[in-house]
Amino acid sequence: MLFGSTHLDYKKESKSRILQVKRIIEHSKSSPIPIIIAGDFNASSGSETINLMDSEFTRTCNSCPPTIPVNNPSRAIDFIFYKHPQDKFDVKLHKVIDEKYASDHLPVYAEVMIEH
């Protein structure tokens, strides 16, 4: 299992963020083992960034709950993505935790089972 964490470029119209996602996808294509990558993607569902990730990975949520701002969150930009060569992941739970102290984002939590 390969687990990665990311914090993509924060600029509004970021070409760098797209390049970062393309690099993640490029590295994942040759992986024979399951991959989970989580973090701050600085992009919402429907954006080019998330659409690219969705083209190669699966999210632990479909209608992802908002994660930012920490008080009265209105947008989801923090995600957990996974990829398995044999589609052996089963998401049991996905939630955003109401914890406002550690960050300006709410933490995302998922329970994922890997079938053998």
Side-chain angles (χ1 to χ4, degrees):
M1 164 88 57
L2 178 63
F3 185 87
S5 173
T6 192
H7 187 177
L8 299 184
D9 191 7
Y10 67 92
K11 294 178 184 163
K12 187 171 178 106
E13 298 298 324
S14 174
K15 290 183 170 114
S16 177
R17 188 168 50 239
I18 299 304
L19 292 173
Q20 291 169 328
V21 166
K22 286 180 177 179
R23 182 60 67 127
I24 290 168
I25 290 169
E26 178 185 321
H27 285 293
S28 76
K29 285 190 183 267
S30 62
S31 178
I33 61 174
I35 300 171
I36 295 177
I37 185 161
D40 180 354
F41 286 81
N42 273 310
S44 299
S45 294
S47 67
E48 183 179 1
T49 300
I50 301 306
N51 288 345
L52 275 170
M53 285 298 293
D54 284 343
S55 72
E56 292 292 325
F57 288 82
T58 304
R59 281 185 268 167
T60 57
C61 55
N62 292 320
S63 296
C64 304
T67 59
I68 193 168
V70 72
N71 291 312
N72 301 315
S74 59
R75 295 182 304 135
I77 64 171
D78 304 280
F79 301 101
I80 301 171
F81 287 92
Y82 61 92
K83 182 177 185 177
H84 192 291
Q86 290 87 34
D87 295 324
K88 301 278 186 169
F89 280 101
D90 184 22
V91 178
K92 298 295 185 184
L93 176 68
H94 174 98
K95 67 180 180 178
V96 172
I97 300 170
D98 188 23
E99 195 288 312
K100 297 175 173 65
Y101 178 74
S103 174
D104 60 334
H105 300 238
L106 296 175
V108 177
Y109 173 86
E111 291 179 14
V112 181
M113 299 291 295
I114 301 175
E115 300 171 16
H116 295 283

